[in-house]
Amino acid sequence: MSEQQQSSELLDTCLMAGRIMIESGSEMYRVEDTMNRIAQNAGEKQSITFTTPTGIFMELGDSGAVQIRQITSRTINLEKVEHVNALSREFAAQTINLGQLHQRLASLDRDVPFFPVWLQIIAAALISCTLMIIYGGYWQDFISTAVIGATGYAVFYWVRDRLNISYLNEFLAAFTIGLLALIAVRLHLGRSIDMIIIGGVMPLVPGVPITNAVRDILAGHLLSGIARGMDAIFSVSAIGVGIALIFRFFD
């Protein structure tokens, strides 16, 4: 393999690792660190990396080769981030070579290790009812909150999967949660509409994006931190508007 082909394969591997991590919700400083470590372990000591939530740029200083990758989707899948880091450590330990690293990253990119939908809905139900109690809710609302939280997350997942319109899934899910909470209280199936809603929207709250935005800003990645922070603010605003409509027109 010629030097140019080796540089091209190394760039493609580094950018694939970075793209997978960004699309899975990793912090930008972690993405850059992983990409630079892969390049260094492949013998490139002068790699330059620049990452944003919508694109990655990388240059290999010794060869002058440059490549760019666009980021078209973003979600939260920390399991994939851990897998990429594990593969990077295996490459550093020389248990796999660059070609094997590229193949296993491509396989990880194709075979998305997501939990099944039914398990996500059950998890949303458990998160909703337990956090409602932790925040000072009533045990009488336990089952209602679990059912409403699960229904809201199911709406969130279905709208995201079918329509793919940013922030509409959060809005419709929050609206559904607020409406069902209002119905439950009026039918005497629940006691506190406020606590049911608080518990029900917990699975929708963008906690990881907010945390990553703060960590990126503290790490000096101001552009990425602000962009991710605004994305989280829009998500929270969509949730708030969905709930506010219930209190404005139905309560």
Side-chain angles (χ1 to χ4, degrees):
M1 183 182 295
S2 67
E3 182 177 349
Q4 184 177 2
Q5 289 175 325
Q6 290 178 344
S7 297
S8 178
E9 183 180 22
L10 177 57
L11 270 175
D12 190 49
T13 302
C14 292
L15 289 167
M16 186 187 305
R19 177 178 58 79
I20 293 173
M21 294 180 72
I22 294 177
E23 290 179 348
S24 301
S26 177
E27 309 94 319
M28 293 300 171
Y29 74 87
R30 189 186 303 276
V31 174
E32 292 187 357
D33 181 67
T34 299
M35 294 173 64
N36 289 328
R37 286 179 183 273
I38 292 175
Q40 289 172 6
N41 291 322
E44 291 286 348
K45 304 300 182 182
Q46 301 296 327
S47 59
I48 300 173
T49 306
F50 179 71
T51 58
T52 72
T54 56
I56 313 175
F57 308 81
M58 188 172 190
E59 178 187 4
L60 300 181
D62 293 341
S63 63
V66 182
Q67 286 191 21
I68 302 172
R69 289 291 184 277
Q70 184 180 12
I71 307 299
T72 56
S73 63
R74 288 177 297 276
T75 184
I76 302 299
N77 191 337
L78 300 183
E79 186 177 0
K80 291 184 73 172
V81 176
E82 193 278 330
H83 283 319
V84 173
N85 285 327
L87 289 173
S88 175
R89 287 191 290 268
E90 289 184 32
F91 181 63
Q94 298 182 350
T95 57
I96 58 175
N97 57 36
L98 183 61
Q100 291 172 324
L101 175 60
H102 186 277
Q103 291 176 359
R104 293 175 66 175
L105 285 172
S107 177
L108 177 64
D109 192 27
R110 290 192 303 268
D111 303 326
V112 181
F114 271 112
F115 292 105
V117 178
W118 63 267
L119 186 58
Q120 295 184 47
I121 293 175
I122 291 176
L126 293 175
I127 291 171
S128 298
C129 59
T130 52
L131 287 180
M132 183 272 297
I133 295 297
I134 291 174
Y135 290 148
Y138 304 100
W139 285 103
Q140 298 95 313
D141 298 333
F142 190 85
I143 295 179
S144 298
T145 305
V147 173
I148 291 172
T151 304
Y153 187 84
V155 171
F156 170 83
Y157 186 93
W158 186 87
V159 174
R160 182 183 62 183
D161 188 54
R162 296 296 191 279
L163 300 182
N164 195 26
I165 300 176
S166 299
Y167 313 115
L168 180 62
N169 48 350
E170 289 97 336
F171 168 76
L172 292 178
F175 184 85
T176 301
I177 290 170
L179 184 61
L180 292 178
L182 179 63
I183 293 173
V185 171
R186 290 189 174 179
L187 294 179
H188 303 290
L189 299 175
R191 177 176 175 181
S192 172
I193 185 173
D194 294 337
M195 299 311 301
I196 293 175
I197 289 176
I198 289 173
V201 300
M202 281 298 107
L204 309 179
V205 174
V208 174
I210 292 174
T211 303
N212 286 347
V214 174
R215 294 184 69 177
D216 280 338
I217 291 174
L218 294 178
H221 292 266
L222 301 181
L223 179 62
S224 300
I226 293 173
R228 283 186 162 179
M230 290 302 299
D231 183 56
I233 289 173
F234 285 140
S235 295
V236 172
S237 299
I239 295 171
V241 170
I243 297 300
L245 287 177
I246 296 298
F247 287 102
R248 175 65 178 82
F249 294 106
F250 296 96
D251 193 13

